[in-house]
Amino acid sequence: NIVMTQSPKSMSISVGDRVTMNCKASQNVYNNIAWYQQKPGQSPKLLIYYASNRYNGVPDRFTGSGYGTDFTLTINSVQAEDAAFYYCQRIYNSPNTFGAGTKLELK
Amino acid sequence: QVQLQQSGAELVKPGSSVKISCKASGYTFTSYDMHWIKQQPGNGLEWIGWIYPGNGNTKYNQKFNGKATLTADKSSSTAYMQLSSLTSEDSAVYFCARGARWDYGGGFAYWGQGTLVTVSS
């Protein structure tokens, strides 16, 4: 089964900083990756699909990149409302495995 | 607008079963897969499986074979997940989410609000 490994597990960032988080697939998933944001007590929200396509209404400070096995989510000029958990997921083919997540905290 | 409305919280006894629902509206129910996802307290997201209501086809995460059973009722546009032989490890929030390969590559743009299942004697 495919394994999605996210790093780091957590990070503490100041408002206005640029943050990069990673997702590594155990096998080639081409560009079939999505990224989600989840805040406590809420359902996850789709940010990025096909590795680099921003979902409707997602601010352009969120950027996804990568292909094959290594993927990155970058947030430029982090805002206070970006404090959340971020998950990557293999899409298009099953199993639609999620990574364990990265917790983004604001200093 | 697309909505996925899940059933309410459940308190169930160890060894029993529970069936939770996800009522879809605002789109053609039979044209999209319905996925189910587990989230234990303080933990990440775990994909359980999907059902295609159009023909009832299902696909499961191997880990949930024998634990979860996915069904769908086309007449009421409702997807169901039954969990059997419940233990404390099944205590979690369960989400339904809509997906289709041709729709955002199968990314989950729409989610239910989650159903909390607590297994306790």
Side-chain angles (χ1 to χ4, degrees):
Chain A
N1 266 349
I2 192 166
V3 177
M4 309 297 293
T5 303
Q6 289 188 243
S7 62
K9 287 188 177 180
S10 66
M11 47 202 325
S12 185
I13 304 294
S14 298
V15 171
D17 283 354
R18 181 173 184 260
V19 62
T20 297
M21 58 189 77
N22 303 298
C23 175
K24 188 174 184 65
S26 61
Q27 63 191 65
N28 185 359
V29 294
Y30 306 94
N31 67 336
N32 295 324
I33 287 291
W35 289 93
Y36 299 86
Q37 177 193 69
Q38 187 183 31
K39 298 180 180 180
Q42 295 184 15
S43 303
K45 294 181 179 177
L46 179 64
L47 296 174
I48 301 286
Y49 62 99
Y50 281 145
S52 62
N53 292 273
R54 225 172 275 118
Y55 179 62
N56 301 340
V58 173
D60 59 8
R61 64 179 180 273
F62 291 90
T63 302
S65 62
Y67 188 87
T69 60
D70 292 287
F71 301 88
T72 298
L73 176 68
T74 299
I75 312 173
N76 287 304
S77 189
V78 167
Q79 302 300 298
E81 63 264 28
D82 299 334
F85 284 88
Y86 292 85
Y87 297 95
C88 65
Q89 182 201 22
R90 187 249 196 129
I91 58 172
Y92 198 79
N93 290 314
S94 299
N96 301 96
T97 307
F98 289 93
T102 292
K103 182 179 183 180
L104 178 63
E105 294 177 300
L106 278 293
K107 289 179 184 173
Chain B
Q1 70 282 20
V2 174
Q3 289 191 343
L4 301 176
Q5 183 65 40
Q6 295 187 231
S7 50
E10 300 270 5
L11 174 60
V12 293
K13 294 192 184 306
S16 67
S17 298
V18 67
K19 191 172 186 177
I20 61 180
S21 65
C22 172
K23 183 171 176 58
S25 61
Y27 72 97
T28 303
F29 179 64
T30 51
S31 296
Y32 292 79
D33 300 333
M34 189 69 79
H35 295 252
W36 291 86
I37 299 97
K38 177 182 181 181
Q39 187 167 39
Q40 290 176 298
N43 283 11
L45 304 168
E46 195 168 16
W47 178 75
I48 296 171
W50 58 253
I51 183 167
Y52 181 64
N55 58 15
N57 283 356
T58 56
K59 174 87 172 182
Y60 294 92
N61 179 338
Q62 286 182 335
K63 177 180 176 180
F64 291 92
N65 274 328
K67 170 61 67 177
T69 303
L70 305 182
T71 58
D73 178 3
K74 289 189 278 189
S75 67
S76 62
S77 298
T78 302
Y80 298 92
M81 178 173 67
Q82 179 162 321
L83 300 168
S84 61
S85 303
L86 292 166
T87 72
S88 58
E89 284 300 302
D90 298 314
S91 293
V93 174
Y94 293 88
F95 294 99
C96 60
R98 189 188 86 167
R101 280 182 168 181
W102 46 269
D103 187 49
Y104 307 110
F108 302 163
Y110 295 95
W111 293 69
Q113 81 275 23
T115 295
L116 175 63
V117 174
T118 303
V119 182
S120 175
S121 54

